[in-house]
Amino acid sequence: MKLTTRGRYAVTAMLDLALHGKDGPISLADISSRQDISLSYLEQLFAKLRRGELVSSVRGPGGGYRLSRSEEAINVADIIDAVNESTDATNCGGKGICQNGEMCLTHHLWDDLSTQIHLFLSGISLAQLTRKEHVQSICERQDGHESAANNPQNLIETETVNA
Amino acid sequence: MKLTTRGRYAVTAMLDLALHGKDGPISLADISSRQDISLSYLEQLFAKLRRGELVSSVRGPGGGYRLSRSEEAINVADIIDAVNESTDATNCGGKGICQNGEMCLTHHLWDDLSTQIHLFLSGISLAQLTRKEHVQSICERQDGHESAANNPQNLIETETVNA
DNA sequence: TATTTACTTGACTAAAAGAGTGGGTTATTT
DNA sequence: AAATAACCCACTCTTTTAGTCAAGTAAATA
Ligand code: FES
Ligand code: FES
């Protein structure tokens, strides 16, 4: 499998949407400033998320994106699949053909691993994430900074790291 | 996390070693022909595996590699760690600093995922893999081909692909 | 209807990582 | 000494990522 910044950004952005989108659509510019993700990059990601029918868009002033289903009905695996095109850990794409068209020694292992990862990620919904207390506290911190994102006063995270 | 051909090759090669290394060291040339992995590439991988103390080497004619511990004492996570340097799924290397030195919204999620993957992979030993019946049957097939690896008669994999 | 706001699309690029190659050196056996 | 196999190093080629840019489209408001 490949889990890269793309998938991580996508989940982060979707979670931001779940947290802030209670009343009305959220613009990508807002997400960009809160989550420190390049606006143009977000546009790319949301194009895929929209194709995957995870979000819907509202154009015009005051527009933005909203979740196209309830928070409960969107899980992390959905999001990663939408932007990444697979959480597959095999080399052969699950077909069992990576050694001259025949199955390699370790195919089943990677296949099992893929299943595990998918089970884990598909068992976590956006709703569950929003309920976690550490998510809520980080969310509050980000709402505080908002456009004061460049403020250096909050860079004292040493105790958090050494926990 | 990153799971690439490198990690997959390493596990495959180690499994080959476990399957064939009962009496005496196995040369990389043997593994190369059985598993269709470039010899030079195997050398790179085994340099790392040796540094990770998973295999020990015997030089000279009749030499090769053997497992440096019992099959039971080597698990898949060990192997991947040795060649890959981490099964970490976070962006921040587990430090919680990927948003301007502060923790991003989804840090805990990736951290949990890393733990899951590591638990799964470290629960599977080489010994367990060698006992699986599909591994044994693939192993026999490969022993059959052996140096007849270039034989074109086995390239008829169309039906397998279109399954 | 003109303007604003914001989403849409696609091409493009720099940098990194991955996969694989090649040449030469050292140790060991026969 | 000759053959064998590990060891080491540096290098290339390709793919993927992450991110940018610019031109365009649609909707809402004044
Ligand atoms: S990973 Fe599926 S055949 Fe090798
Ligand atoms: S992944 Fe650890 S802080 Fe973002």
Side-chain angles (χ1 to χ4, degrees), chain A residues 1 13 19 40 52 54 59 68-69 75 104 138 158:
Chain A
M1 91 157 303
L19 288 162
S40 306
L54 297 179
R59 310 184 104 169
S68 63
R69 304 183 226 146
N75 65 54
C104 75
I138 293 175
T158 332

Side-chain angles (χ1 to χ4, degrees), chain B residues 31-42:
Chain B
I31 300 180
S32 169
S33 76
R34 268 194 299 265
Q35 307 301 334
D36 288 316
I37 305 173
S38 135
L39 178 57
S40 306
Y41 202 39
L42 274 178

Side-chain angles (χ1 to χ4, degrees), chain B residues 16-102:
Chain B
D16 183 277
L17 207 49
L19 288 163
H20 295 90
K22 306 292 182 189
D23 26 51
I26 301 296
S27 75
L28 292 188
D30 284 358
I31 300 180
S32 169
S33 76
R34 268 194 299 265
Q35 307 301 334
D36 288 316
I37 305 173
S38 135
L39 178 57
S40 306
Y41 202 39
L42 274 178
E43 284 173 349
Q44 274 185 49
L45 297 180
F46 273 77
K48 299 193 184 204
L49 293 171
R50 207 174 58 93
R51 268 178 243 132
E53 301 190 325
L54 296 179
V55 297
S56 56
S57 62
V58 180
R59 303 182 114 183
Y65 287 93
R66 59 164 57 103
L67 300 179
S68 63
R69 307 183 224 144
S70 79
E71 303 176 16
E72 281 80 15
I74 298 180
N75 66 54
V76 177
D78 291 336
I79 301 172
I80 293 184
D81 284 353
V83 297
N84 242 12
E85 27 254 33
S86 100
T87 54
D88 188 17
T90 65
N91 184 33
C92 60
K95 294 188 204 292
I97 52 163
C98 85
Q99 186 179 18
N100 282 325
E102 299 188 88

Side-chain angles (χ1 to χ4, degrees), chain A residues 35-144:
Chain A
Q35 306 302 335
D36 288 318
I37 305 174
S38 138
L39 178 58
S40 306
Y41 202 37
L42 274 177
E43 285 171 349
Q44 268 186 53
L45 297 180
F46 273 76
K48 300 193 183 202
L49 293 172
R50 206 177 60 91
R51 267 176 246 132
E53 302 191 324
L54 297 179
V55 296
S56 56
S57 61
V58 180
R59 310 184 104 169
Y65 286 95
R66 60 163 55 104
L67 301 179
S68 63
R69 304 183 226 146
S70 77
E71 303 177 14
E72 281 79 16
I74 298 180
N75 65 54
V76 177
D78 291 336
I79 302 173
I80 293 184
D81 285 352
V83 298
N84 243 14
E85 30 251 32
S86 98
T87 54
D88 188 16
T90 64
N91 185 34
C92 60
K95 295 187 204 291
I97 52 162
C98 87
Q99 186 179 17
N100 283 325
E102 299 189 88
M103 188 173 291
C104 75
L105 258 189
T106 45
H107 173 84
H108 281 74
L109 174 63
W110 313 123
D111 210 33
D112 289 351
L113 175 61
S114 306
T115 306
Q116 287 290 318
I117 293 174
H118 203 269
L119 265 180
F120 177 75
L121 292 178
S122 65
I124 301 177
S125 69
L126 282 182
Q128 281 173 265
L129 287 176
T130 57
R131 280 196 293 270
K132 304 226 175 207
E133 53 313 322
H134 61 257
V135 168
Q136 291 174 354
S137 70
I138 293 175
C139 177
E140 283 168 29
R141 189 198 77 215
Q142 292 175 337
D143 285 348

